[in-house]
Amino acid sequence: MPQPFATLEQAQQLGLLPEEFESIKTILGRTPNFTEMSIYSVMWSEHCSYKNSIAYLKTLPRESEKMLAKAGEENAGLIDIGNNLGCAFKIESHNHPSAIEPYQGAATGVGGINRDIFTMGARPIAQLNSLRFGKLEDERTRWIIRGVVKGIGDYGNAFGVPTVGGEVFFDDCYNVNPLVNAMSVGIVEKGKTVSAIAYGEGNPVFIVGSRTGKDGIHGATFASGDITEDSANDLPSVQVGDPFQEKLLLEATLEAIETGVIVGMQDMGAAGITCSTSEMSAKGNSGMIIHLDKVPTRQANMKDWEILLSESQERMLIVVKKGEEAPLLSVFEKWDLQCEQIGTVTDEPLLKYYMHGELVAEVPAESLVLGGGAPIYKREFKEPTYLEKIKAFQPEKVEEPTDLKAVMEHLIGHPNLCSKRWVYEQYDSMVGTVNMSTNFPTDAAIVNVKGTDSALALTVDCNSRYIFADPVKGTEIAVAEAARNIVCSGGVPQAITNCLNFGNPYNPEVYWQFVGAIEGMGNACRKFNTPVTGGNVSFYNQSSYEGPVFPTPTIGMLGLLENKEHAQTLSFQQPGDTIYIIGTSSNDLGSSQYLYSFHGEKFSSCPEFNLDEEFEFQQNISKLLRKYSIESCHDVSDGGLFISLIESCLENELGFSIETNKNFRVDAFLFGEKQSRAIISVSPEESELVEATLKKFEQPFERLGVVTDKSIVINHTDYGNILDFKNTFQESLGKLLS
C-alpha cells in the first residue's frame, strides 16, 4: 500500500498499548498503516471492545426461556412479553460527551439508544434515564444539569417518545465527571426483528440517514480515557444530533423492514462505519468491500480515516438482498433520506476499504470485534484503603437528634430525596399515550402495551453510596430495589440491562469495585431470575484531580403485568386506612442519606441486606397484592421510612399518624435505609384478613398507624400539615438550581 506504516508512538497516541501494537502486526503479518491503526484503536478501545470487563461480564446469568435474542449479540436485549410480542430494551452511557458539551452529549445519547431499539425492528415506546451530578452549589454543575436535562428533553420530545421514569442523584464525586445513562424500550412482533449481520456474497451494502461529518471522530477513544483539564480540546469528539432526522429514520426503517429485502442492519454508534461493517461481517463470518468515497459527506475532502471513524448521528448500515434494492430505495426516497450503496458483502472474511479506487485498509473483520480478536484482560485489583474508615464506623456513636423536625425538613428538601419535578416537567411524558403512571403514581413506571391486557413495568435503580461501601452487597441491593419497585407496582421482574459506570480500570482499587459489583449483580440476578440481556460498560469516569466517581452499576429492569388491572399505586387513598410496614426494621443507619448529609458521616457500612430475605419478602408482597384490594404499596429505600410515608401522602394530600417501634432508635426507625421493606395501606375492612395472610406467609410486619386527613403525627407529636411538606418537597430542587 502506498500509505506509510504506522509507528509505535502513533499507536500509543491513539490509546493502544505496545503489546497491542505487536498483536496487530502479527494479525496482519505486516505493520499497519495509519488508517488501519486508527481502525484498531477505536475497535480495541475500552468503549468498543470491553477488553477490561468482558471476562467478568461473561460470568453473569445471560439465559432465560423468555429471551428472544442471545445476550449481547444484538443491538438490544429482547424479551418475550406474550401476545406474540417482544420487548427490546437497553441502557447506555454518554458520560464523557456530557461532561464536555452537556446539551449535545445528552441529546445524542438519547438518539443513539433509540436507534439501537428500532434497528432491531422495534418501535420505541418509552425512555428512562439515570443522571448523576456534582454539588449544586457549583455553577459548572448547574450548567451541566441544565444542558443535560434540556438535551434529553429536546431530543426525546421532538423524536416523539415519552420519558416515563428515571433517577437523579447528586454527590461531590461527580463534580467533574457526570453520569448520563439513557434507556429505551420498544415493542416488536415476534418474528419481525432484524439482526445486525452481514452475509451473502454480492449483497449490496447501503448507508442510510444523515450525511457523514467530522463530528464524533475518535469518540470511542475519547470515552476510553480520564477527564483531564485538556478534555475541552476534545470537543470535536462530541456528536451533534437531529431528532427530526431520527424520527424520519425511524419511520423509514420500520417501513423498509416490511419490504422483506433486508438481510441485516446496524446503527452507527461508537466508531461509526468501522464498527458497523466489522461487527456485522464478523457475525456473518463474511467480509465487505467498502468504497469510502461513495459515503455522502457534509464536508469536502474528508480523509478516509475521518469517514471511517466519524460518529455522526442518525445513520444506519443496511445489507440488502442482491437484485432487490428497489423497494429499499423507494422507501428512503419517500422519506427524503439519503440511501447510498457504498459496498458489497464478500465471502472472504476481510474488510477492504477503498478511497477513489485505492485500497487504504485491509483487515480481518473478526480481529476487530468483541468475542473475536479484540484483546481480553483481567487487571490487578486490591481492597481500597478507604474501607478501613468504613470498618471503623461505630453507629452507636451517632448522636440521636433532639429536633426531629429539623431532620425531616433537611431530608425533604435534599436534592437527592426531594421531587425531581424541575427535571421531569421538561420531558414529554404523555406523547404516545402509553404512560399509565402520570396521574397514578407507582414505584416503577407502568407503560401500556396497546391492544393487549398487558403493561410493562420499568425502572432504573442504583444507590452508588451503597456500592462504594460494599460492591457485592451494594449491587445486590441495586438489583433487588429494581425488582422491589416492579413488584410493589404490581409487576413481575423479567430481565435487566445494565450501565456499569466506574473509574479507571488500571487503578486496582477501582477494578476491585468492578469485580465485586459483577459478583453482586450475578448473585441477585440469579436469585430473581432476571438475566442480563446486555448493556454498557463505562470505565474512566474520573478526573486527574478529583479521582474516580462512586462505582455506579445502574440497573435498568423490565417487568411485566400480564393484566394491567394489577397496577398498584403508591399513594394513600383515604383517611382511616391502616398503615403497615412489611419487613423487619433495625437500628441500621449505614450509608443512609440521613447519616451522610445530616451528620456528615461519609464512611459507613452498607445497609443491612439478605438476598434470601429480600426474595421471600417480594414473593409475599406479590401474592398479597394479587389476593387483596390493597389501597397503596410503596417500597422503603432512599431516605428511609419517613420519606416513603411522605411520598405516599403527596398525590392526594393526605397525612399519617404513626408510632415508631420502641425497640429501635427513633432516627434509625424513621430515616435508616434497611432493605427488604415496604409500606402498604389497607381499608379497615381488609385489615384483619391482610394480617392473617401475612402471618400465614410468616412474613414479618408491623401496624404503624393510620392515614389522616392532612396532619403528620409521629409518636403523638404533630409535625405540621402535609401541604407544608409538599411545598418543600416539590420546590427545593428548582430553588437550588435558580
Side-chain angles (χ1 to χ4, degrees):
M1 291 182 190
Q3 293 191 37
F5 292 137
T7 65
L8 175 59
E9 182 181 7
Q10 287 175 323
Q12 291 178 304
Q13 288 173 346
L14 293 175
L16 290 165
L17 301 172
E19 57 267 33
E20 292 171 345
F21 182 64
E22 293 303 315
S23 294
I24 293 166
K25 290 197 290 185
T26 300
I27 289 168
L28 297 179
R30 55 178 169 79
T31 301
N33 62 36
F34 179 78
T35 297
E36 292 166 334
M37 183 60 63
S38 296
I39 290 170
Y40 278 100
S41 75
V42 292
M43 291 305 298
W44 285 12
S45 70
E46 184 65 43
H47 193 69
C48 290
S49 74
Y50 294 174
K51 58 188 177 185
N52 291 311
S53 58
I54 188 61
Y56 289 97
L57 297 180
K58 287 181 176 179
T59 68
L60 293 169
R62 297 152 60 90
E63 294 183 354
S64 158
E65 61 184 18
K66 292 195 173 184
M67 290 180 65
L68 299 175
K70 288 186 177 180
E73 292 200 2
E74 297 295 349
N75 287 314
L78 190 64
I79 294 291
D80 187 341
I81 58 170
N83 298 295
N84 200 40
L85 297 174
C87 179
F89 71 115
K90 188 180 182 183
I91 189 170
E92 283 195 341
S93 65
H94 234 223
N95 303 335
H96 279 47
S98 299
I100 304 302
E101 212 299 291
Y103 180 85
Q104 288 294 353
T108 51
V110 171
I113 196 66
N114 278 310
R115 282 196 304 281
D116 280 338
I117 301 303
F118 70 74
T119 305
M120 293 182 68
R123 179 175 291 277
I125 62 168
Q127 299 174 147
L128 300 90
N129 52 69
S130 174
L131 311 176
R132 301 289 199 281
F133 302 106
K135 56 184 177 183
L136 274 170
E137 295 82 0
D138 288 357
E139 180 55 39
R140 182 175 181 273
T141 295
R142 295 196 292 272
W143 170 71
I144 289 174
I145 187 174
R146 291 185 191 111
V148 165
V149 171
K150 185 171 175 54
I152 292 171
D154 284 1
Y155 201 104
N157 297 352
F159 182 57
V161 177
T163 301
V164 299
E167 59 176 355
V168 185
F169 184 88
F170 298 88
D171 191 89
D172 292 2
C173 73
Y174 303 107
N175 281 343
V176 175
N177 203 135
L179 303 183
V180 177
N181 297 173
M183 178 173 168
S184 182
V185 180
I187 299 292
V188 61
E189 287 186 44
K190 288 168 65 175
K192 290 192 174 182
T193 55
V194 175
S195 182
I197 193 170
Y199 60 84
E201 185 175 19
N203 280 339
V205 179
F206 286 84
I207 188 170
V208 303
S210 295
R211 289 177 174 269
T212 297
K214 294 187 178 183
D215 51 323
I217 293 173
H218 272 298
T221 307
F222 170 56
S224 303
D226 294 352
I227 295 289
T228 70
E229 292 177 342
D230 296 324
S231 290
N233 297 329
D234 294 325
L235 191 59
S237 295
V238 180
Q239 309 96 318
V240 178
D242 182 348
F244 301 103
Q245 185 84 339
E246 177 126 329
K247 175 64 174 174
L248 296 177
L249 189 58
L250 161 67
E251 301 301 338
T253 299
L254 296 182
E255 187 173 329
I257 291 170
E258 292 293 328
T259 66
V261 304
I262 293 178
V263 172
M265 176 166 54
Q266 183 164 324
D267 159 46
M268 286 187 192
I273 293 174
T274 298
C275 187
S276 52
T277 54
S278 59
E279 290 184 348
M280 292 177 72
S281 296
K283 187 172 182 180
N285 194 29
S286 63
M288 290 183 188
I289 293 174
I290 299 295
H291 298 278
L292 297 173
D293 51 290
K294 293 184 179 180
V295 175
T297 58
R298 288 203 301 268
Q299 284 102 9
N301 302 318
M302 286 184 68
K303 298 180 177 63
D304 53 82
W305 60 270
E306 291 177 323
I307 295 170
L308 273 169
L309 271 56
S310 168
E311 294 181 10
S312 293
Q313 296 292 286
E314 293 85 44
R315 299 180 303 157
M316 321 271 270
L317 196 75
I318 300 179
V319 175
V320 181
K321 296 175 184 177
K322 185 178 181 180
E324 300 183 35
E325 301 91 342
L328 181 85
L329 293 168
S330 176
V331 168
F332 280 90
E333 182 180 5
K334 168 188 170 181
W335 290 98
D336 195 25
L337 290 170
Q338 295 277 347
C339 182
E340 297 290 339
Q341 183 179 347
I342 62 171
T344 55
V345 176
T346 66
D347 280 346
E348 186 181 21
L350 286 175
L351 295 169
K352 296 182 178 181
Y353 299 106
Y354 289 84
M355 190 74 169
H356 302 299
E358 177 191 345
L359 182 63
V360 294
E362 181 177 345
V363 293
E366 191 178 15
S367 73
L368 297 171
V369 301
L370 167 71
I376 297 175
Y377 304 114
K378 284 188 175 182
R379 297 298 176 193
E380 174 192 356
F381 59 88
K382 67 177 182 179
E383 192 173 274
T385 55
Y386 69 75
L387 283 185
E388 293 302 317
K389 296 179 183 179
I390 290 175
K391 292 173 183 176
F393 169 64
Q394 295 178 292
E396 66 275 6
K397 291 189 176 181
V398 177
E399 186 177 348
E400 293 192 53
T402 56
D403 185 355
L404 281 181
K405 183 70 175 290
V407 180
M408 295 175 191
E409 290 176 343
H410 169 80
L411 294 178
I412 284 290
H414 195 282
N416 284 345
L417 300 177
C418 71
S419 169
K420 306 308 185 291
R421 187 171 71 168
W422 183 91
V423 174
Y424 67 70
E425 283 188 343
Q426 298 185 53
Y427 304 153
D428 189 336
S429 63
M430 290 305 295
V431 60
T433 63
V434 296
N435 187 356
M436 296 171 57
S437 301
T438 304
N439 299 311
F440 185 78
T442 48
D443 276 357
I446 306 298
V447 174
N448 186 19
V449 181
K450 292 185 175 181
T452 75
D453 294 329
S454 303
L456 304 178
L458 308 169
T459 187
V460 288
D461 286 286
C462 180
N463 189 313
S464 49
R465 195 181 297 130
Y466 299 171
I467 290 103
F468 178 75
D470 185 333
V472 177
K473 187 189 294 185
T475 309
E476 288 177 349
I477 291 174
V479 176
E481 185 180 350
R484 195 186 318 142
N485 283 331
I486 285 170
V487 167
C488 288
S489 302
V492 177
Q494 302 293 306
I496 77 162
T497 176
N498 59 43
C499 199
L500 309 178
N501 307 274
F502 291 84
N504 192 318
Y506 294 89
N507 178 337
E509 295 189 355
V510 166
Y511 207 68
W512 178 86
Q513 294 171 334
F514 170 75
V515 171
I518 296 299
E519 179 184 343
M521 188 180 304
N523 294 342
C525 286
R526 278 183 280 271
K527 190 68 179 180
F528 295 111
N529 192 26
T530 52
V532 181
T533 62
N536 174 220
V537 179
S538 177
F539 279 133
Y540 301 98
N541 291 290
Q542 66 180 62
S543 70
S544 55
Y545 42 98
E546 288 209 1
V549 300
F550 281 159
T552 310
T554 304
I555 304 299
M557 186 174 282
L558 167 71
L560 181 65
L561 286 74
E562 291 186 353
N563 189 324
K564 61 193 69 170
E565 292 182 1
H566 291 160
Q568 178 65 61
T569 185
L570 62 82
S571 299
F572 292 150
Q573 296 301 300
Q574 55 270 326
D577 284 351
T578 308
I579 304 171
Y580 296 93
I581 183 165
I582 314 298
T584 58
S585 299
S586 74
N587 277 321
D588 183 28
L589 290 171
S591 293
S592 63
Q593 186 66 55
Y594 162 66
L595 189 64
Y596 194 83
S597 59
F598 188 81
H599 285 282
E601 178 57 67
K602 306 297 184 185
F603 297 92
S604 64
S605 56
C606 190
E608 291 181 22
F609 180 73
N610 179 279
L611 200 50
D612 293 330
E613 176 190 352
E614 176 78 35
F615 181 76
E616 289 302 316
F617 158 82
Q618 291 191 21
Q619 293 294 301
N620 291 337
I621 288 288
S622 186
K623 288 184 285 188
L624 190 69
L625 295 180
R626 295 288 187 276
K627 189 174 181 67
Y628 295 110
S629 177
I630 304 299
E631 299 298 324
S632 70
C633 183
H634 187 18
D635 84 309
V636 177
S637 55
D638 299 358
L641 172 63
F642 173 73
I643 292 296
S644 295
L645 287 166
I646 290 293
E647 289 173 340
S648 294
C649 291
L650 295 172
E651 177 70 15
N652 296 319
E653 296 183 345
L654 297 170
F656 59 82
S657 177
I658 66 164
E659 291 190 42
T660 63
N661 188 319
K662 293 181 172 55
N663 293 319
F664 308 113
R665 293 171 49 141
V666 173
D667 58 344
F669 190 79
L670 290 174
F671 313 125
E673 297 178 11
K674 183 191 179 293
Q675 301 296 296
S676 310
R677 297 186 297 163
I679 52 173
I680 64 170
S681 64
V682 181
S683 68
E685 296 77 18
E686 294 277 343
S687 294
E688 188 174 327
L689 287 172
V690 167
E691 290 186 20
T693 300
L694 289 169
K695 289 174 182 176
K696 181 182 177 181
F697 292 163
E698 298 183 350
Q699 172 62 54
F701 71 95
E702 293 180 54
R703 183 190 286 228
L704 281 178
V706 296
V707 178
T708 66
D709 185 30
K710 282 190 170 46
S711 57
I712 305 298
V713 179
I714 300 174
N715 294 336
H716 309 292
T717 299
D718 191 330
Y719 287 95
N721 190 299
I722 186 59
L723 297 178
D724 297 326
F725 284 97
K726 183 175 183 177
N727 182 66
T728 302
F729 182 80
Q730 291 189 336
E731 302 301 329
S732 292
L733 184 59
K735 289 179 179 178
L736 288 167
L737 281 165
S738 63

